[in-house]
Amino acid sequence: MDLFQTLVLALVQGLTEFLPISSAAHLILVPELTHWDDQGLSFDVATHVGTLAAVMIYFRRELRRMTMEWLGSLRGRGLTPDAKLAWAVVFGTIPAALSGLLFHDVISNHLRSAQVIAMTTIGFAVLLLFADTTGRRVRDEHGVNWKDVLVIGVAQALALIPGTSRSGITITAALLMGFTRQAAARYSFLLSIPIIALAGGYETLGLVREPEEGVRWGLITLGALVSGVSAYLCIHFFLKLLARISMLPFVIYRLLLGMFLLFLFR
């Protein structure tokens, strides 16, 4: 892996982790078009660390308040809006975590084909458009209730199917539950924190069991930095953009991407 490959793959990871456009589709498309060798597990771990750091730094004030209020709720102080949101993140993570443990091998062995990714990229684009045009868009993330947690949590579990897009499906579910676009994205990003941490931890265990030889630590560190900075900027500008536009540009992009994958792998 050279410098250019490191920069491209880190940017792809950082941007597609949080935009509703399917990271799996891009991480298949880029190597296919470039004929690059696999970047290795250590690089995947590094980029996960970068994106995790980005979302935690961006929401550091919210996370501080949520943590303090969550601890207060454990001491019997009641459920404030921030405590409720913290519990919603905790319980909303459970469906995806359990599904990952139960179905990881099945999904890896049977659902990682380009055709599956193309079809899910297209299918969930249509669902995102439906949610964006029919959702009431009147609620914020602090009004989350247990029905929201269940629906959005189960939706996040569906993101294990390649091409779905974790951010895309959770934003879709939140829009269907009446969240505003920005609130749907904020809750989706907060919900990503434990999932990215769990995924990075799982990959790290694999790295510990089978250490890679010849790791170029300079490039690995650069990959983590680039993925982190690009993810942070992506979160910032995406949230700003949602104040002015609908999800239509991302829907169109997904439809074109899915059709291109179908053409490429026909």
Side-chain angles (χ1 to χ4, degrees):
M1 186 169 64
D2 59 22
L3 177 61
F4 181 71
Q5 184 178 353
T6 298
L7 293 174
V8 170
L9 291 175
L11 278 171
V12 169
Q13 175 63 35
L15 294 175
T16 61
E17 183 71 46
F18 296 107
L19 291 179
I21 56 175
S22 174
S23 60
H26 290 80
L27 293 175
I28 277 188
L29 187 60
V30 171
E32 178 65 24
L33 295 177
T34 59
H35 304 291
W36 288 337
D37 293 331
D38 184 84
Q39 64 270 21
L41 187 57
S42 58
F43 185 83
D44 291 341
V45 171
T47 54
H48 270 101
V49 170
T51 53
L52 178 62
V55 69
M56 292 187 70
I57 291 171
Y58 189 87
F59 288 103
R60 62 192 180 279
R61 295 183 183 87
E62 291 87 345
L63 290 171
R64 188 180 303 117
R65 289 197 307 269
M66 288 165 60
T67 301
M68 296 303 296
E69 296 298 324
W70 179 75
L71 291 173
S73 73
L74 291 176
R75 299 189 188 105
R77 285 195 227 152
L79 278 179
T80 64
D82 281 315
K84 186 190 297 185
L85 183 57
W87 280 112
V89 170
V90 171
F91 284 109
T93 301
I94 293 174
L98 290 177
S99 298
L101 288 173
L102 293 173
F103 303 115
H104 177 270
D105 292 340
V106 173
I107 292 168
S108 297
N109 295 330
H110 301 289
L111 295 179
R112 292 197 67 83
S113 71
Q115 289 76 17
V116 169
I117 291 173
M119 293 308 296
T120 52
T121 299
I122 293 170
F124 286 109
V126 175
L127 185 59
L128 175 59
L129 179 61
F130 175 78
D132 192 45
T133 53
T134 62
R136 292 182 296 123
R137 299 198 303 274
V138 294
R139 303 172 58 208
D140 69 19
E141 68 274 23
H142 286 97
V144 64
N145 58 42
W146 298 116
K147 183 179 178 182
D148 301 324
V149 172
L150 178 61
V151 171
I152 300 170
V154 170
Q156 183 169 237
L158 291 176
L160 293 168
I161 303 171
T164 302
S165 171
R166 193 213 61 81
S167 62
I169 194 63
T170 50
I171 289 172
T172 297
L175 288 171
L176 287 172
M177 301 306 291
F179 284 53
T180 66
R181 293 182 181 117
Q182 288 177 303
R186 284 194 297 267
Y187 182 54
S188 171
F189 296 157
L190 290 170
L191 200 56
S192 76
I193 293 172
I195 285 297
I196 296 174
L198 288 170
Y202 182 83
E203 290 177 341
T204 301
L205 287 176
L207 200 58
V208 169
R209 287 194 296 265
E210 298 181 22
E212 292 181 0
E213 296 182 1
V215 175
R216 300 178 65 179
W217 290 107
L219 291 179
I220 294 297
T221 303
L222 178 63
L225 181 62
V226 171
S227 67
V229 171
S230 59
Y232 184 95
L233 293 174
C234 174
I235 294 169
H236 176 75
F237 287 109
F238 181 56
L239 288 173
K240 295 284 188 186
L241 201 60
L242 288 182
R244 300 192 297 273
I245 68 168
S246 71
M247 291 289 177
L248 184 59
F250 304 102
V251 170
I252 293 172
Y253 180 84
R254 284 186 68 123
L255 292 173
L256 293 174
L257 177 62
M259 289 187 286
F260 181 64
L261 286 172
L262 286 176
F263 171 78
L264 192 64
F265 295 98
R266 66 189 187 280

